Amino acid sequence: MLANTKKILEKARKENYAVGHFNINNMETVQAIVKAAENLKSPVILAISEGAIKYAGLEYLYNLALISSKNSKVPIALHLDHGKDLKIIKRCIKIGFSSVMIDASHENFETNINLTKKIVKLAHKKKISVEAELGTIGGIEDYVSSKKIIYTDPYKAEEFVKRTGCDFLAVAIGTSHGAYKFKGKAHLKIDILKQIQNKVKIPLVLHGASSVPKNIVNLAEKYGANLKGVKGVPEKQLTTSVKNGICKVNTDTDLRISFDAAVRKVIKNQPKDFDPRHILGPARDLIQKTVERKIKILGSDNKA
Ligand code: G3H
Ligand code: 13P
Ligand code: ZN
């Protein structure tokens, strides 16, 4: 059975560690994440974006997660990432996700509150928890320009959580989605995070948390990728964020680069091999290693 995201994250908040949210699009990625979680006895959150639904189909991805959770000894939750389309959010609630995100962060404060309240009401009826977002995280949500990231206002965050009844809050403290997070030195606003943590007593979520590990980038580039200028969140800053209230850490880009690097390597080294299992198997293995590394950084190993 799928695990309860709220329970997983409330435990993490009490015991001061974070649980990894990892985006899934296909079977290999699901298997890699689940195996990593099982190896390290860690709870884990599988996440599906609206783009993933478009690519693979809601029922396919839901059932991959469901089968994994049925066969596993560790808690595996299923979450809708960046829900913007109300119809999709409702489908995820209906089919039985563990949690959904309503991302109305691009709307004004009152509209964000109203949309979030509406989803909270629908989801809570089915005991499904809700993540909402306040402020803007760069990258895919950066509707204005990458220079215009709006950090979460701690006072507004307090009011937002009170008025919406959301279960987890995604905060904007300087991260952005994708592989190009910082032009200069990486810097998260830990001072803002501390203020939010003082005012908001629910689990906080860090989006855009990929570290873009050098060894994986080097591997991908060795086999032909062009990843000039990529920069992620340094692992030390992730640890600091977790110490200051981040309980859910979202990672997608690191899995994508791992997949890419491993596939490129096989194709280059084995030009006569066209068996998809030989091409995708090493990608699965490398994603597993990447997830294991992340779980250890977040401190959720042995917490299942
Ligand atoms: O937060 C965004 C995730 O990386 C999902 O990205 O919308 O391309 O699936 P996607
Ligand atoms: P990354 O692009 O840093 O992996 O962030 C993923 C994310 O925030 C998914 O919601
Ligand atoms: Zn995100």
Side-chain angles (χ1 to χ4, degrees):
M1 220 181 88
L2 288 168
N4 181 310
T5 313
K6 188 167 175 155
K7 269 194 194 152
I8 291 176
L9 293 181
E10 288 294 356
K11 180 173 184 297
R13 197 171 94 86
K14 265 191 209 120
E15 297 177 20
N16 206 221
Y17 61 88
V19 176
H21 145 141
F22 299 99
N23 286 74
I24 60 169
N25 290 286
N26 61 14
M27 182 194 76
E28 282 76 10
T29 309
V30 174
Q31 290 177 334
I33 297 164
V34 168
K35 199 160 176 200
E38 284 174 343
N39 278 353
L40 295 177
K41 300 184 173 57
S42 168
V44 78
I45 299 164
L46 301 175
I48 299 177
S49 69
E50 290 182 353
I53 291 172
K54 220 182 237 171
Y55 174 74
L58 178 60
E59 283 75 17
Y60 269 94
L61 293 172
Y62 169 78
N63 279 296
L64 280 177
L66 188 65
I67 289 167
S68 310
S69 71
K70 276 183 182 162
N71 295 335
S72 182
K73 286 196 179 75
V74 300
I76 295 172
L78 179 64
H79 178 75
L80 171 69
D81 193 22
H82 293 286
K84 291 200 169 97
D85 180 334
L86 292 188
K87 273 195 203 136
I88 294 182
I89 300 175
K90 285 179 185 169
R91 279 176 68 203
C92 294
I93 292 173
K94 191 165 177 215
I95 201 169
F97 274 44
S98 312
S99 49
V100 293
M101 176 180 188
I102 161 75
D103 179 358
S105 57
H106 49 290
E107 303 283 358
N108 67 49
F109 188 61
E110 289 300 325
T111 310
N112 189 355
I113 287 185
N114 287 335
L115 284 168
T116 303
K117 265 168 81 173
K118 189 171 162 182
I119 298 304
V120 166
K121 202 171 161 198
L122 288 173
H124 283 186
K125 267 191 206 149
K126 285 200 69 182
K127 298 201 175 0
I128 290 168
S129 42
V130 177
E131 175 180 334
E133 179 178 324
L134 190 62
T136 55
I137 295 155
I140 55 161
E141 299 176 9
D142 190 4
Y143 300 100
V144 197
S145 110
S146 59
K147 287 170 202 126
K148 290 214 170 156
I149 292 175
I150 303 161
Y151 299 115
T152 305
D153 176 327
Y155 291 92
K156 284 203 162 151
E158 185 181 24
E159 182 185 342
F160 184 87
V161 170
K162 264 192 200 142
R163 286 177 60 193
T164 61
C166 67
D167 303 283
F168 331 117
L169 183 70
V171 294
I173 56 165
T175 57
S176 56
H177 292 93
Y180 304 85
K181 297 185 190 297
F182 306 96
K183 285 238 167 69
K185 235 179 133 201
H187 181 64
L188 299 195
K189 295 272 186 195
I190 301 296
D191 49 333
I192 295 182
L193 178 60
K194 283 183 176 166
Q195 291 175 46
I196 300 170
Q197 195 202 12
N198 274 331
K199 301 199 167 296
V200 173
K201 304 295 175 193
I202 60 172
L204 302 176
V205 181
L206 188 66
H207 283 250
S210 275
S211 296
V212 192
K214 268 233 158 66
N215 59 326
I216 312 278
V217 169
N218 290 345
L219 185 69
E221 288 196 316
K222 184 176 167 191
Y223 291 101
N226 178 355
L227 297 175
K228 201 166 174 268
V230 293
K231 194 174 276 179
V233 180
E235 291 176 348
K236 264 197 176 163
Q237 293 195 34
L238 277 185
T239 311
T240 311
S241 310
V242 173
K243 278 191 188 135
N244 289 287
I246 294 293
C247 303
K248 174 173 176 282
V249 170
N250 291 16
T251 303
D252 188 358
T253 298
D254 286 353
L255 311 191
R256 293 179 178 190
I257 299 177
S258 303
F259 195 96
D260 176 67
V263 167
R264 283 178 188 279
K265 186 177 172 189
V266 184
I267 287 176
K268 179 89 180 163
N269 287 347
Q270 297 159 222
K272 290 189 172 171
D273 193 342
F274 47 79
D275 185 331
R277 294 166 296 187
H278 300 168
I279 298 169
L280 299 182
R284 181 168 60 183
D285 294 343
L286 192 55
I287 292 174
Q288 185 191 327
K289 277 194 196 144
T290 301
V291 173
E292 284 176 359
R293 187 180 172 96
K294 193 72 142 207
I295 286 175
K296 286 184 191 156
I297 291 163
L298 304 185
S300 66
D301 44 329
N302 295 311
K303 298 289 198 294

